[in-house]
Amino acid sequence: MNKVVKAESVLVRPAATGDTGAIYELYRKVASEPGGLARLADEVEESYVAGFLSAAQERGLSFVAELGGDLVGEIHAYAPGLFCFGHVFGDLTIAVDPDTQGAGVGRRLFEQFMQVVRDERPNVQRVELIARESNLRAIQFYESLGFVQEGVFHNRIRNLDGTFESDIPMAWSRPG
């Protein structure tokens, strides 16, 4: 695949249990890129994917993006299951195939996700995510979608070279 992708040609649909294998392969590919995911490729297991898909189906949302029949992106978040956090979607993760990054796939996934939150999930008052401080492109992307930076988790990330960097907690809150 190459980056000559038109976002309009990407199909975004709710994730299904049958997508587990393809999402697993996507996450391993994204995790093999430096800073692609918090997990390294060998830390991505099918049980991890099955777990977050199950949680998203029970108490959250998950969408996948397909291009020409290939799964090229996934986004999910879910409520943690405690009453006091029932209005919050957290553990938000988005993964886009490195070969299609920068082509609008992530934006299509995120916009669909947030549209469903706004229009169909009035109980969700807040959506949370965490971005690596070095991923300025992602931070700017999240801000363009209405997320705001809420602080810094200093030296939370240990990089492969032994250096540390901070995580930036961000959130979208329902207006009003």
Side-chain angles (χ1 to χ4, degrees), residues 98-162:
D99 294 334
T100 61
Q101 288 180 6
V105 173
R107 182 166 297 277
R108 289 279 314 278
L109 278 166
F110 231 115
E111 287 174 348
Q112 178 68 33
F113 180 92
M114 293 305 298
Q115 179 180 347
V116 171
V117 167
R118 283 188 302 272
D119 297 347
E120 300 176 24
R121 302 290 178 99
N123 62 309
V124 176
Q125 297 295 307
R126 180 178 171 86
V127 178
E128 301 173 339
L129 60 83
I130 298 174
R132 185 183 296 244
E133 74 176 323
S134 62
N135 197 345
L136 298 177
R137 191 172 114 192
I139 291 170
Q140 290 170 344
F141 170 65
Y142 301 141
E143 288 175 336
S144 77
L145 294 166
F147 284 74
V148 295
Q149 295 184 38
E150 293 192 324
V152 178
F153 297 139
H154 294 284
N155 296 325
R156 187 165 187 245
I157 304 272
R158 181 176 52 208
N159 295 311
L160 286 173
D161 65 3

Side-chain angles (χ1 to χ4, degrees), residues 1 9-10 24 54-55 69 91 93 107 119 130 132-133 145 165 169 171:
M1 244 180 266
S9 62
V10 173
Y24 167 74
S54 175
D91 289 331
T93 304
R107 182 166 297 277
D119 297 347
I130 298 174
R132 185 183 296 244
E133 74 176 323
L145 294 166
E165 65 178 295

Side-chain angles (χ1 to χ4, degrees), residues 21-145:
I23 294 171
Y24 167 74
E25 293 301 327
L26 171 70
Y27 271 63
R28 287 193 47 94
K29 184 174 183 180
V30 173
S32 69
E33 299 284 319
L37 290 174
R39 292 173 184 263
L40 300 174
D42 63 352
E43 295 173 331
V44 175
E45 299 174 346
E46 282 197 66
S47 60
Y48 160 68
V49 174
F52 73 65
L53 280 178
S54 175
Q57 289 173 347
E58 291 172 18
R59 54 187 194 276
L61 293 170
S62 177
F63 291 94
V64 294
E66 293 180 335
L67 179 63
D70 294 324
L71 195 138
V72 295
E74 188 272 343
I75 187 172
H76 69 270
Y78 46 87
L82 301 173
F83 172 80
C84 66
F85 299 119
H87 64 288
V88 177
F89 275 0
D91 289 331
L92 189 145
T93 304
I94 184 169
V96 176
D97 187 308
D99 294 334
T100 61
Q101 288 180 6
V105 173
R107 182 166 297 277
R108 289 279 314 278
L109 278 166
F110 231 115
E111 287 174 348
Q112 178 68 33
F113 180 92
M114 293 305 298
Q115 179 180 347
V116 171
V117 167
R118 283 188 302 272
D119 297 347
E120 300 176 24
R121 302 290 178 99
N123 62 309
V124 176
Q125 297 295 307
R126 180 178 171 86
V127 178
E128 301 173 339
L129 60 83
I130 298 174
R132 185 183 296 244
E133 74 176 323
S134 62
N135 197 345
L136 298 177
R137 191 172 114 192
I139 291 170
Q140 290 170 344
F141 170 65
Y142 301 141
E143 288 175 336
S144 77
L145 294 166

